[in-house]
Amino acid sequence: GGSWTILDNFSLNVGRHSLKTGFEVQRYHYGRANSQVPIYQMDTVEQILSSQPLSATVNLSLNPIQTRTETTRTGIYVQDDFKLRPNLTLNLGLRWEYYSPPTEVNGNVFNVVDSPYGPFRQKGEPIWNTDSNNFGPRFGLAWDINGNSKNIVRLGAGIFYSDEPHRQV
C-alpha cells in the first residue's frame, strides 16, 4: 500500500472580495494477496440446507494471487467570499473533480459492462467508464442578524461527487 498527495491553495483579498483557488491530486497504491478458498457445488435447496455439497474443489497452492491496484483523485476549485454588507457575506464557488478508475498493474481487475449479470469487460480495460464532467457549484451565506456576532445564520449548499461509480439504467 501507500499513497501520496500534492496540493496547494492561493488566496487574494481585493476590496470586499476574498478570492481563493486551489488543487489537490491524490494517488493511491494498494495491494492484496488472495488465496483460493474451497469451491462447493450444490444443485438443490436440500443440499444447501443440509450442507451436503455435490462436489468440493480445494486449491492446495501456497502461491496466493497478488494484485496491486492504483487510482488517482483530482480536484480543482475557485471561490469568492463577497461581503455584501458588514453583516452579510455571500460565498460562491465551483469545484471540478475527477476520479480515475482503479487499474491493476497486471490487468487482473475486471467488472461487468452494464448489469450485474455481465458481460464482463476485457482484461486490462477500466472497470468503469470515466466521468470527467464532475462540476460542483457551491453556495454559502453568513448573516449576522443584529451585527453583534451573537445571532448568526449560516447557510450552505453544493453538488458533491463520490469516487464510487454511478450507473445510468
Side-chain angles (χ1 to χ4, degrees):
S3 64
W4 54 260
T5 301
I6 298 173
L7 64 94
D8 201 5
N9 298 293
F10 176 75
S11 298
L12 177 66
N13 292 322
V14 179
R16 298 187 301 167
H17 295 271
S18 177
L19 305 169
K20 297 175 184 133
T21 188
F23 72 92
E24 180 174 22
V25 178
Q26 298 174 322
R27 181 74 172 169
Y28 294 95
H29 308 273
Y30 38 95
R32 180 178 205 156
N34 292 330
S35 297
Q36 178 87 34
V37 296
I39 300 171
Y40 299 100
Q41 179 183 346
M42 299 178 192
D43 291 341
T44 66
V45 175
E46 290 80 21
Q47 289 174 341
I48 295 170
L49 294 176
S50 66
S51 294
Q52 295 181 348
L54 186 64
S55 67
T57 304
V58 179
N59 183 351
L60 299 177
S61 171
L62 298 176
N63 296 323
I65 299 169
Q66 302 281 333
T67 60
R68 183 168 163 232
T69 309
E70 301 173 336
T71 187
T72 303
R73 298 175 180 178
T74 305
I76 301 170
Y77 77 93
V78 294
Q79 75 179 46
D80 181 13
D81 295 334
F82 178 52
K83 197 171 247 341
L84 292 170
R85 290 190 262 161
N87 67 335
L88 181 63
T89 302
L90 183 66
N91 175 272
L92 298 171
L94 181 67
R95 183 174 176 91
W96 174 78
E97 295 177 316
Y98 175 76
Y99 304 104
S100 71
T103 57
E104 202 277 327
V105 294
N106 297 312
N108 289 326
V109 175
F110 63 92
N111 199 0
V112 294
V113 173
D114 59 5
S115 79
Y117 307 107
F120 288 102
R121 294 180 185 266
Q122 296 298 313
K123 181 176 180 174
E125 286 185 345
I127 66 171
W128 66 68
N129 296 330
T130 59
D131 184 6
S132 58
N133 64 349
N134 293 336
F135 289 95
R138 307 290 201 261
F139 169 79
L141 182 123
W143 176 37
D144 184 355
I145 297 171
N146 298 317
N148 59 9
S149 300
K150 290 189 177 186
N151 297 307
I152 300 173
V153 175
R154 297 184 190 276
L155 171 74
I159 296 175
F160 300 84
Y161 294 92
S162 170
D163 60 346
E164 294 296 319
H166 56 279
R167 291 192 191 275
Q168 294 181 353
V169 184

